[in-house]
Amino acid sequence: MTYFHRAERTWRARLDELGAAFSDIHFLPEYGRIYEQSYGYSAHLACLRSRAGLIVQPFVRRPLASLPFLSRHCAGGDSADIANAYGFGGPLGRPDAATYRAFERELEAWCEEASVASEFASLHPLMADAQRGLIGDGLPLEFVKDVVVVDLGLSESELLSGLRKGHRSSLKRAQRSGVTVHNVPPNAENVAAFAAIYSETMTRLGAASRWFFPEDFFSATIEHLGADRTTLFFAH
């Protein structure tokens, strides 16, 4: 088992080996760097190769000492959990069952050595079948929520016909009201405006604390993912 941290070139090389079927922004090393910068978590890629294939799993290591109900139990502040960064994660690959079991054992041993108490992973909705097949019956899975996928390659009329009636009505009302949408540069001023609107919206909705991101989260996202993977729109 190899755990890569900071070795972005090696991390990317392992993902490239898996092929386009497992290509997704959530698994990139740059995505983990956002959490290193904004939260101070360390980003890792667990990797195991056998004759039967390659298996990888990206995650971030999150210290537990900052949690009030655990602080007095975390001697030296070393205890942590591991989880995928915001969105989706879990193991990736097409190895045989024996390779996955070996991966599980080595990851468990690493967690024991690294004082990791627990692991959280949300399977990717477009890869969940492959991931479930990889995991098998060894771990119980819990349904959390539906994920809506929209194919942006469709024509405008096809996209509109796929919307719920209420959403189509809202869109028509916005058009009648003269709302216009503009792709704006992700400069500091625009990102700050977006972050303020986001925070105000979460407050108004009474969202849980996990939906309030650190102050530099959005700027870090743009910095690490770049203009080819991020874009910012304003409605006026």
Side-chain angles (χ1 to χ4, degrees):
M1 178 78 75
T2 305
Y3 295 92
F4 301 113
H5 170 55
R6 286 285 174 204
E8 293 192 12
R9 182 177 299 178
T10 312
W11 186 323
R12 277 187 161 280
R14 298 293 84 79
L15 293 178
D16 290 343
E17 284 184 52
L18 293 178
F22 294 104
S23 176
D24 189 89
I25 198 169
H26 294 87
F27 305 109
L28 295 175
E30 295 92 333
Y31 200 70
R33 301 294 174 248
I34 300 168
Y35 279 72
E36 290 192 332
Q37 180 173 327
S38 296
Y39 289 90
Y41 302 157
S42 58
H44 301 259
L45 182 75
C47 173
L48 181 70
R49 186 197 308 279
S50 75
R51 293 181 179 178
L54 172 70
I55 178 172
V56 303
Q57 182 172 340
F59 58 84
V60 294
R61 187 180 185 276
R62 310 181 301 187
L64 294 176
S66 60
L67 299 177
F69 63 95
L70 285 177
S71 58
R72 61 193 179 93
H73 301 290
C74 298
D78 292 333
S79 296
D81 68 11
I82 60 174
N84 54 259
Y86 175 78
F88 309 109
L92 297 174
R94 293 194 183 95
D96 60 7
T99 300
Y100 178 70
R101 299 300 166 226
F103 178 85
E104 275 190 317
R105 290 192 298 271
E106 293 208 29
L107 181 57
E108 182 178 351
W110 181 86
C111 288
E112 183 74 23
E113 183 179 345
S115 299
V116 172
S118 57
E119 174 191 355
F120 299 90
S122 299
L123 302 188
H124 195 292
L126 300 181
M127 306 177 191
D129 289 342
Q131 290 183 304
R132 277 196 295 264
L134 191 62
I135 295 171
D137 299 325
L139 294 172
L141 301 180
E142 177 183 347
F143 175 80
V144 177
K145 61 183 177 181
D146 289 313
V147 177
V148 178
V149 179
V150 178
D151 181 1
L152 298 181
L154 300 176
S155 66
E156 183 175 334
S157 60
E158 289 172 322
L159 286 171
L160 290 174
S161 65
L163 295 178
R164 284 179 5 196
K165 182 178 179 180
H167 290 166
R168 289 198 298 271
S169 297
S170 296
L171 181 57
K172 290 178 181 178
R173 185 167 64 251
Q175 290 173 328
R176 290 194 302 269
S177 301
V179 174
T180 58
V181 179
H182 304 274
N183 184 195
V184 300
N187 55 36
E189 180 181 2
N190 288 335
V191 172
F194 174 81
I197 293 171
Y198 177 88
S199 181
E200 291 168 6
T201 302
M202 293 300 102
T203 300
R204 186 177 71 252
L205 296 176
S209 59
R210 69 179 183 276
W211 298 113
F212 290 84
F213 298 113
E215 185 176 347
D216 66 342
F217 180 83
F218 298 112
S219 59
T221 297
I222 291 168
E223 175 187 344
H224 290 287
L225 295 183
D228 58 334
R229 298 193 186 95
T230 57
T231 189
L232 185 59
F233 292 90
F234 281 175
H236 299 271

